[in-house]
Amino acid sequence: MIQASRVPIVGLFGNLIVSVQGGLTDGQVEQLREDVTGSIESRSPRGLIVDLSGVEILDSYLTRAIRDIALTARLMGVRTAVCGLRPAVAIALVEMDLEIPGVVTALNLERAVEMLAPVDEDELPDELVNEVPNEEPS
Amino acid sequence: MKSPPEGPPSSGSSGSRAPPSHTGPLSIRGPGVTSGHTGSLQTRVPGALSSNVGAPSSVRPGPPSFRGGSTQPTRLGVVGITDRIEGVLAQFLSPAVRKSVIDCGVRQARVDRDSMREADLRRLLVEVKRGVQLFVRDQVQLERCVSQLNELDYAAPAPREILIDVRTEEDVLRARSAGRELCIEQMVSDVLLTKIVTAISELGRNIVRYAGSGEITVRTTASPQRAIEICAKDQGPGITNLPEILSGRYRSRHGMGAGLRGTKALMDDFDIQTGPGKGTMVTVRKFLG
């Protein structure tokens, strides 16, 4: 028996990024769920991004697993963004009437990072906003 | 770990003693060499010259009477396919033009004249047809030319069948790559390919989870339409509440039930034979183009 490799979980800009590549066995998916919740606890990220651009297909099981991961993360106070669905995968998902409720979706990793970033200037403390040099010629 | 079958000794492993008379590199042809990973898929094209002597018993050639009436297309392999294309083009184009159409096609399709595979041939034909459209002005002639080229095309992908024993999740992944391989050979679009591979995944998982073991066959069919057919068979407990599952009212512990329903939604043909204690056989088909 070959020891199934784990899906890597990396940190970037305060987010956890899970990049799923290729086909996963159900066992690997199960392992991923544990790893993600473990990482959320130990690294206290701002958000969780599941990058699916390297996934060849999403079947009912993997879809369900991603939903579960997102719901678990939300319970723990972490927002989840799913990104990078290939067009063909998205089409198949729609035809199968499968959804991933409870997550925001983004076109790609970059957009997902943007989405989860606390950008709104209104939300920043005033002193921080004032420090931003505004060099627009008026 | 199984020890590899006979073949060139892998470098560094025990007792690799090259015969002193051999000066050149070891030939890497022959059975066993291609099976780099354990449990690699062995496939066979029926009617092709089989160099795959040691193919395991789990691989069957397609049914002999697959193409109604017509005999297996003679597969000259590689040699001569550009000659055959040129033979067709000779009726429509001058020698210089047809040569450049073919050369251009070979370049565009990025095929190697010396080792062309089925998928390469199909790509090449697509490019050649594109070239022909530029040079054959007369509509009637053009249609004749394209249809003759298409005949070469249809002769190319011989019926194929891949059978995978499914016991574990790894087997399901193997079945998925088998389906993907077949789709790529048949020049199936990415969307269709994704649907087909998804269906294989769903059916395979059902076998592993509910029956324990079974088999999946992926094959191409030519009649009544060109299609990819997936057949998943097991001797498991069978499905007792089929209408419920297909209607979507049922949810298993794993949130499944979506599997069969999803497969049905993805495919064009869906046939299931099951009953308590009788095992389950699901046959689905996706038509190509």
Side-chain angles (χ1 to χ4, degrees), chain A residues 90-111:
Chain A
I91 289 171
L93 271 189
V94 170
E95 273 194 27
M96 293 173 82
D97 201 15
L98 291 177
E99 289 176 77
I100 315 181
V103 303
V104 290
T105 50
L107 187 60
N108 52 38
L109 189 54
E110 195 179 339
R111 297 274 173 80

Side-chain angles (χ1 to χ4, degrees), chain A residues 37-99:
Chain A
T37 44
S39 299
I40 288 178
E41 189 188 20
S42 62
R43 306 199 213 172
S44 42
R46 192 182 309 131
L48 172 68
I49 299 175
V50 182
D51 177 17
L52 298 177
S53 57
V55 164
E56 61 170 349
I57 61 153
L58 272 184
D59 56 17
S60 56
Y61 180 77
L62 188 50
T63 310
R64 167 95 186 179
I66 290 168
R67 185 198 85 126
D68 287 356
I69 288 174
L71 290 181
T72 315
R74 193 169 73 185
L75 279 179
M76 296 174 81
V78 171
R79 285 192 297 161
T80 301
V82 167
C83 70
L85 242 67
R86 293 192 306 117
V89 172
I91 289 171
L93 271 189
V94 170
E95 273 194 27
M96 293 173 82
D97 201 15
L98 291 177
E99 289 176 77

